[in-house]
Each structure stands twice: as C-alpha cells, then as structure tokens.
Amino acid sequence: MNKIGLIIAREYIARVKKKSFIIMTILGPILFAGMMAIVFWSATREGDQKLIQVIDESGFFENKIENTETITYQFIQADIEESKESLLRSEAIFGILHIPKIDLDNPEGIKFYSTQSPGIAIEGGIEKRVRGIIEDEKLANSGLDQELIDNLRSYVDIQTINLSDTGGESESNSGIAFGVGYVSSFLLYMFIFIYGMQIMRGVTQEKTSRIIEVMIASVRPFQLMMGKILGIAAVGLTQFVLWAVMTTALTSITSTLILDQPTITEQMANETGVDAEQIEAQNKAFDLSGVLDKIDVPKILVSFLIYFLGGYLLYGALLAAIGSAVDSEADSQQFMLPVTLPLIFSMMMISIVIQEPHGTMAFWLSMIPFTSPVIMMMRLPFDVPLWELVLSVSLLIAGFCGTTWMAGRIYRIGIFMHGTKVNYKTLAKWFVMKI
C-alpha cells in the first residue's frame, strides 16, 4: 500500500508541476467566463434592423402586424414576381411575406421569401403574429366584442410542487433541474474522457520508453496501475476544484457587468410577440437568485465527486489496460471505441432521459455502471429516490472493482510485450494466462 502511495505522489507532483497543467488551470476559467460573456452579450445586444415587405392580398392583415425593435413590416401593393426580383437586387429588404386570398378556416398558401434562412425567432414571430390576427378576425366575425375578446386571453403560470413521503412540500423547476443536470453530466463526461485518455497515453509512453521495466523491478504491475490511476484522479480533482472556484468568481463578475442589459427572455419576446405578463412570469421562473433554493446543492456536489471518481476509475482501469497492450497511440484506436462507446451513448441518451427522468429507460441506464455517472447526474436534480442513488453508487463501485481486476490481468502481461500484434484474441489469452 505504501508503494501505491509513492506512485500516486509521483504521478500527482509530476503532473501538477507541468506548465500545461498550470496554464490550463488558469486559462480554463478565463476562457469559460469569456465564452459566457460572449453568449450573454450576443443574446442581449440589439440585432440588425430588418425590413420585411408584406403583400396582403387577403385584406385581413393591413397594418395589423406590429413592428418590433429589430423588424419593420412594410405593407406594399405589388406583384409578387416583381417583388421577388427586387428582393434579389436589394440588400435593404430582408424578406417578403406574401399572404394570398385565404380562407380563415383553412389559411393555406402563406409564404415568406428571403435570400437567407430567417432563423427560428423570426420565423416563429411571423407565424405567431399571423396566427393571432387570423384568430382575432375569426372571433370578430363571430360577433364578439373586441374588448371581450381581449379579456378572454390570459396567461397561466403553473407552479410545480413535489410532495415527500413525510408530507413535506418543495417547489421545483424543470428548467433549472435540466440546466443543473446537463452541466453536471457534461462536466463528468468531459473529465472522465480527458483524464482517462491521460492514463492511456501515460502508460503507452512509459512502455515505449522502457521506463516501466525499471519500475516493475520494485513494484508489482497492479500496484503501478492503481498508483497511476489514483494519481491522475487526484490531479483531475485538483484542477476541477480550482476551475470551479475561479469560474464561479469570474462568472459572478461577468454576470454583474451584464445584468443591466435586457434579458434573453425579453429579446425573444420582442421577436415572437410574447405579452408583458408572460415575460414577467418567465423572468421570475428563471431568476438565478432563487436557483439554490430549488436544488439540493450539497447532494449534487457530493454525488458529482462520487460519480466522477467511480466513473473515472472504471474507465481509467480499462484505458490503462489498452495503454499497456499497444506500442503506440495509433494502435489503440481499435480498442478505444468499444470501451468509450457506453460513455458516448450515455451523452446521446440525455435527450431521451430528460423527457422522462423517472422512466424505465432512465432508471436502468442510471444503474448500469458504464452509463450511470452521466445519466444519474442528469436525473439527480429531478429528486431521485435515495434508494436508487445508493443502488446506483453500489453497482458503480462493484463495476469499478470488476473492471480493475480484469484490466489488471491484461496490464500485467501487456506492459512487457513489445512488437506484438495485439487483437481481441490476444487480450483474451493474456486475461487467462497464469504467471
């Protein structure tokens, strides 16, 4: 055990002293905060002013489509074919909205012409405005008073309350839960992948340089493998903690500087025609100051550390075995995909899990050790029962022990093999070989 500790210390000290580690530890939070600042700035800045010409042959929409801060609707009387030719020649006109004579009960044939794709916000805003005017026209034709029609419209904000077995109540927010779960899952995926690859590269380099043959003279292969895995895990945790602290500080400063700008919700409302009450309700729902009240932060942090260690150790052991079996990184590609495929698959399944976080598929994927780190972190903000969390962690620990034992049997043979053409049949022989 003392030898494993020495190897852990060697790996940890050697890596944290590297210039690349120091530079990335400092630059990582700065780059992340910078990207966040760019995202906020891009979302809150006023877009370029756009002119959309409207040819209304139906007579229902004349001067009823309201302008926004970035879009001006200009009603014209012109032939559509001539207008399309003008659109191609003019850079001032963004697009042409052509509304033919339509049946209000079946409004078909409305088209928007543009020399470039309008984007979801603009397209959705046009559809919403046209739909609203058609609905108003149909209601007006029904004989109802316009003031009565306006009073009939209302926005409903449904508050979600979770009930516990003890009768307690707690407020939840699916948007916040999704955001926290997705960020946690992505960080786990990234760290497991990055530091797992470091293990494989480190083992391969030491094997190629024959340094490992000298080290084996004083330690057992299994001790060397475990020391390397745990040492790099300590490096990963150190960098993660530093990133978390520095990113939180920089992001807070960035947010403070930008919060006096219009919110993303308000910008989308300007494009899509959402009313003021809905803006206020959405801003309240996504108020970041109340995020910590809606999620169990200690539970998320502790679970993140557990799943990071468990997932990293599970994949790290397998990647160490691959590194010991090959003579170069190029030779490792044939073994990389089968090992990392479950991790990639778990990221692909997030969109399915988020639709039903307590469903059968989500449950089983959060129990299988190869997918549980990513999937369970995605589910945790949605109040996963404690027994599921305990079972998932227990299976992950069992999976780590199993993969470590299996990887150790391959590692003890592979580190001594040079110039051998390795395939899956060869790995199977090394696994059952007795030495």
Side-chain angles (χ1 to χ4, degrees), residues 52 108 141 160 163 177 181-182 203 213 249 255 275 316 322-323 351 362 375 391 412 422:
I52 296 179
E108 294 183 347
N141 292 340
T160 304
L163 299 178
Y182 184 83
V203 172
E213 295 179 4
S255 301
D275 56 38
I322 293 175
S351 59
I375 300 300
L391 178 60
R412 67 199 172 108
V422 181

Side-chain angles (χ1 to χ4, degrees), residues 85-97:
E85 293 179 4
S86 299
L87 175 63
L88 294 174
R89 295 192 303 266
S90 175
E91 295 182 358
I93 304 173
F94 178 77
I96 297 174
L97 178 61

